[in-house]
Every structure is written in C-alpha cells, then in structure tokens.
Amino acid sequence: MNSISRRRFLKITGFSVGAAAAASALSPVVKGAAKVNQKEVKGIKKIPTYCDICFWKCAAIAYVKDGKLWKIEGNPKDPLSKGRLCPRGTGGIGAHYDQDRLRAPLIRTRERGEEKWKEVTWDEALDYIASKMKNIKEKYGPESVAMFSHGIGGTFFKHTLKAYGAINFGAPSFAQCRGPRDVGFELTFGDIIGSPEKTDIENAQCLTLIGSHLGENMHNTQAQEFAKAVEKDATIIVVDPRFSVAASKAKYYLPIKPGTDTALLLAWMNVIVSENLYDKEFVDKYGFGFEQFKEEIKQYTPEWAYPETGIEPELIRKTARTMALYKPASLVHPGRHTTWYGNDAQRMRAVALLNALLGNWGRKGGFYFPAKFPVPAYPYPPYPKPEKDKLDNPGHKYPFASEEITTGIREATITGKPYPIKGWFIYATNLIQALPNQEETIKAIQNLDLLVVVDVIPSEIAGWADVVLPESVYLERYDELNTAPFREPFVSLRQPVVDPPADQKPNWWIAKRLAEKLGLKEYYPWKNIEEYLDYRLKKAGLSLDLLKKEGVVTAPGQPIYVEDGIEPEFYTPSGKVEFYSVQLQQAGFDPVPKFEKPEDPPPGYYRLLFGRAPVHSFSRTQSNPILMDMMEENEIWINNDVANRWGLKSGQYIRLKNQDGVLSNKIKVKATERIRPDSVYMVHGFGHNSRMLKRAFMKGASDSELITRYKTDPLMGGTGMNVNYVTFVTEV
C-alpha cells in the first residue's frame, strides 16, 4: 500500500491515449475472464451496446479495429436512436481514452478536500468501506447511510445498500430537475410524463416550447422528431428570454420576462376558454371542476399579462388561437429541467392544464401512452424491514413529493434530525455541481463518518471523498437492461466492447463484492452479470446470446393513442382530469395555479440563467478529449446594449460576481441580441476546480458556484435556482 501525494494522484489518473489503446483488448466478458487472443480480433468487429454519455441510453454499435476501440454509431434497430447518435454519443469513445480517468481505488490520507490519497487494492478499499458501514450500522442503524445516484448504473449499489438496511436514496434528477413537471402533471392527469417523455413531437401540427431548448439539451429522439416536425411545416411557438436554436425555427418567438411564465400560461388559457376554443368533447367527458377553473381564470386577460410578461396582448391572443386551431395535435412541451423559481409545480400544473384544454392526452400529436417490454425481475430475498422512516421529507412538509428530496437528505446530514446521517454513497453524480449552495453540501460532508464516491472521472465531489472507486466506462462493462417505456416496447443490452485500461471495475462487480464483505452474499445468488442477465431475458422469452448479437429487441407494436382504441384512465382522486384540484385545496394550496410576481434583479445585476450544450452532459464530459475539442469552455451571453454600457466585447474575459459576493472563474463574453437585457446565460458544467481534471481545470466558469440561493417549492421540495443575480468584474 503506497502513500501518494496530489502530484502522484494526478500521475495515476493520467495516461496517454496511446497507452489506453494499447491496453485495450476485445473481450466478450468483464475483466477477470480469459481475454480473446489478439490474433482472433484482427480487422474490424462490430459490437452492439447502449450509450451512457447522457441518460437517454440510445442503442449503439461500437467498432473495434485490430483489438482497439475505433468508433461508435447508432443501432438502426433502436427505436430511440433510429440508427443516429447525437454529438455526445458519437464522441463516446473519448470516455475510454480520457487521460484524466480514475485508474485505481484510493483512500484519503489528509483532510477532506485536500486531495491527498493512497493507492490501494480493491480488497483494501472494500474492506475499509465495509468496516465503516458496520460501525455506522451498529452505532446509528443502517438507515444512517444514504445514497445519491444518477443513471441506470446505480441499480446494483441500491440493491446492496437496501440489503444492508439503507432506506434513504435520492437523485438530483427529481428535486433539481424534473420533479415539478412530474408532480404538476400527476396532480392534473394522475400520471407523470416519464423518461423518455411521452411526447408525440413528430406528429404535432403545433409545438409550443416554453423554456425547453430542443436541439441544445440534445435528447436524441426528441431532436430528431423536432427536425421532422419542422420539415412537415408544423407551427412552432417558442417562449424564452433567450433566442435559442429552437427559436430560430419558430413562427412565433415570445421573449418573455424571466419568472413570468405562469402569467402567460394563465392568459393563454383565458383566451382559449373565453373564446370557446378548447376541446369541449374532451373536457365534458374527462374534466373535473371545469366551471370553477373557468371562473378563476377570467381575471387573467392578455392585457393583465402584458405588463408582467412583456408580451403584447395581440401576440398572446394570436398564439393561443394558433394552439387551439391545431388541437388535439397541438403540444405544449412539458420540458425537463423545470426547477426555476420555487413555485414550479404550480407552473407545471398550468402547462398540464393548457394541454388538457387542447384535448391532447393520448392523442396523436400530443401525448401517447407508452409501452414497456415485460422483463421479469430477478427473485431476490426480501430486504430487511426498516426501524425508521425516510428522513428527506420529515412530517411530509412537502406533501406532494413523489420521490426522495436530495436537499432534504443533505439538511438531515447537517442537523442530525430526525436522526443522523453518517454515510454517503455517491454514484455518477457530482453533487458539488448538481446541488445548489455548495457551502451547504460541504458542511454536510464534514458531518459524515464515511463518504464513498464511485465514478469514472475525478470530479469535484471525489475530492471530498474518503474512498474513491474507479468504475469502468460504459464501453467496458455490462450493465442493467434498458426497458424504458416508449412508443414501441424494447429491451437493449449494454455489454463490454473493450477491456478497461487499468484497474477499473464495473458497478455490478463492485456492488456484489461489497455485499459479500458485508455478509450479504445471499442477495447475490448469481455468479456473474451474464448469469443474472440471461436469467431475466430467458424469463422474457429471449436470451443473452440474442441480445449480445442484436443489441436491442423490440416487441410487436401496441396501441398508443386514443385513436387506436385506448380509453384514457386518470389516477386522480376524481378519476378525471382535475382542472380544479380539491386535494391541493385541502392541503392549503391554490386549486388553480396563481401567478407569483418574481423579484427583480438589484441595480447593476442581471438574472443568471443556465442550460445545456449539445456536446456535453452536465459536468461529467468536460475531460472527454473529443467532446472537449468541440467545446472547451462556456461563454456568458450578454445583451449587446448591456455589453456596450459596460464596455464589454465578445471574446473578452471577465468574471461574474453574484449577489452574495461569490466571484467566478474567468469566462468569455458573448455579446448578442439573442438575450433580454435583464438576463445573462451560460452553459452548465464548466469551471471545474478539481486539479485532478487536468484537461477541464478552470476552463470557463461554474454556474453552480454562483447559485448560492434557491427557493424551495412548497408542494414537492424542488429547488428553484433561477433566483440568483450576477454583475460583471472586468479585472481577470
């Protein structure tokens, strides 16, 4: 066991592309079995798998040339990718060749955050973790270990921790992303939107995007469908403070004042209802409380909305009438990252209600009913019965939270209430970048007895860990099956294409070995992942051999529209679409959404907005050599008039200072007419301050660092983060 400094750590996380290629050999199974003889892999071989650069999980075909990873493209059999990958997906091979990858298990030797480590074996690392977990269990109970995860790879870690007795699991994808959307639609229709979203964009004759950046967030299927909708001359309406790529395709662009979307939604609904443009048959048959709803929105005229939103009354009327003209093939996209201002579940309920007026639930060009490939679960022993309740939402403070709240777990870790959290497992999510207010995250970490980070790169959160476990990238491992509900049911397989370049291990192997060291061997009755996958697939009438060959298998098409004969069901208290929500009223909330006026920026400050880029996923791809070459840093979008007043020019480096005095790294100015003068915009995920990420270190600025304030949604606990403001500092 060798003690190493940060310099030594950088050395073991850095290796050349050539070395990675030389170390990689084609292998049909995970490292540990006999490798294929190099003579047998001369030439080009195609191996199907599915992508992990983002959560869309498109099926792909990887090419191995003379035993080395060469390129990757879409699998034409896949209903998600339709044979075409996005820029992130085609750049996926860069994850294998990333010079900054973690290569060996590490245990901290100095204070958290100092990045001083010793390199250890897998047995040493897992023994250390198991010992700490046993101590926590004995002293505090197993419920005092919590897990944060993102993506399908966390499945086996969750299984191990549930077998251990843990009950607190959170993902930033709920309280920091899609949660308000899911809750708003569930309150209205009794069902969530799902992932991939069940939006029939391709067949929409009118598509309304309100803060949804199709083409920039690069959800592959939706980007392709959006292109087809544009090709078919669908009417596009875009509402955004920034003239996005999608806005460039729009017939109507509404440059709304940030934070006033609910006012616009209410005014649209006022026009559609007062002019009797709604789908009367749908509302009469499936609606509940429509008359109360109708009475409530009478006050929200376009003239009322104009001073709030900045949108002319006639444009509000024209766009509302256009939506109604094409009903039910008129879709108001629900978006994904919907945690904006702290009243987001009600805003998203307004989006759901607008769609209900258009009668598009279950209709072609609206929302379809997805189908899922039925693959039985593996028969595990029951998990131990917990002695405590989950602690993320004590007393059901947020009564409509349908999943665990990450910031609730963080708060309990800080306060020790309702009981202490002493261990965190973090899988594939950089909490330093994902959660608002980094100081609170670090404060919580200092109360832990154990922090384990499992990742493929040394992210900022890894710098605070006690133990860092290097996972093999998706092209080097088997993983859980992908059976996401979609237009047509499918199952796809992730399988290893090449061997890991060093001592990285797949998530299933790590989780299984840890369970064995915790005395939980009975929860892993299968010998290896192939046996597990083959068992499940054979129960579904398939086999692992078939999936290894095809990559993806689809089932016969099923009805997905009302037009196909499906009768909609609404799992709400009334059994109908709830225009007026009695359950919200009884819980002390508005039964019909109301507009809450946002705060204005302080003088000399501008509202900070942030979003995605088509070549990067969150903060996890900035060290990927291929994707980084396409976009190595972000920019700050500033309205031209504002830039001129400050004497700023495009390409000039400045710093941003937020309302609490936090100063960013330097960032390039993008002076443009494409953003309102009261706002600025930057792409999320840059400005890494982990010195272990040599390629991405201090490239661009971090929006997360500047998000020191957030407003919590009272319905479901989501963290509204568009409530921060920045000004400009020209000394860099």
Side-chain angles (χ1 to χ4, degrees), residues 73 183 232 296 305 386-387 472 476 539 552 631 643 708 732:
E73 63 186 20
V183 170
K232 292 177 181 179
E296 175 67 23
E387 297 181 1
S472 50
E476 303 159 359
K539 288 292 182 180
V552 59
M631 183 181 181
T708 53
V732 297

Side-chain angles (χ1 to χ4, degrees), residues 307-324:
E308 303 293 350
T309 64
I311 308 300
E312 296 278 353
E314 191 49 42
L315 183 54
I316 294 176
R317 286 194 170 86
K318 186 179 291 186
T319 48
R321 291 164 182 163
T322 300
M323 289 180 215

